[in-house]
Amino acid sequence: MNSKKVVLLPKYQKIFEHLGESIKLARKRRKLTTEQVSERAGINRTTLYRIEKGDPTVAIGSYFNVFRVLNLEDDFKKLAVDDEFGRKLQDLDLL
C-alpha cells in the first residue's frame, strides 16, 4: 500500500492535533478504552492512536467512525457547513 506524505503548515497541523486531543478527551470522559472504541469503529488500535494524535493521513471515514462511536456525529456534520467565504464570493457575482 502506497501512502503519501501529507505536508501541512504548522498552524494547520495544530488544528489536527487539537481535534485528536478533543477525540481522546471525549473517549476518556465516556470511560471507554482504546480497544473498545477501535473495535466499535472498525479500525485497529494503531489507527485510533494516530487519530488521537491528530494524524492528517488517516482516512476521514475512520475519523467519522470514531465520532459515531463517541456519539459525536452531529459535530462531524458541522464540518464546512458555514461557508462564509464562499457565500461572499457568490454574492460578488450577483452584484
Side-chain angles (χ1 to χ4, degrees):
M1 180 197 270
N2 286 337
S3 63
K4 292 185 177 183
K5 174 86 171 142
V6 175
V7 179
L8 290 177
L9 293 173
K11 71 178 187 175
Y12 299 126
Q13 181 59 45
K14 291 280 185 204
I15 292 170
F16 271 92
E17 290 169 3
H18 178 73
L19 176 62
E21 186 177 324
S22 295
I23 290 169
K24 184 176 186 175
L25 289 172
R27 175 182 60 79
K28 288 185 172 194
R29 284 185 201 108
R30 287 158 179 75
K31 299 188 184 334
L32 294 171
T33 66
T34 55
E35 189 173 315
Q36 289 170 318
V37 173
S38 60
E39 184 178 303
R40 293 174 190 178
I43 59 176
N44 62 44
R45 285 174 57 193
T46 303
T47 303
L48 179 58
Y49 174 79
R50 290 172 50 211
I51 288 171
E52 290 184 351
K53 288 293 182 188
D55 186 341
T57 65
V58 175
I60 195 166
S62 296
Y63 273 89
F64 176 77
N65 283 336
V66 172
F67 271 72
R68 179 185 48 79
V69 168
L70 299 174
N71 201 26
L72 294 171
E73 60 271 8
D74 285 341
D75 288 354
F76 194 87
K77 290 192 292 187
K78 293 177 186 174
L79 296 175
V81 168
D82 188 20
D83 184 14
E84 184 177 334
F85 182 70
R87 282 195 315 275
K88 286 181 181 179
L89 290 173
Q90 188 178 35
D91 289 349
L92 286 174
D93 278 347
L94 298 174
L95 295 177

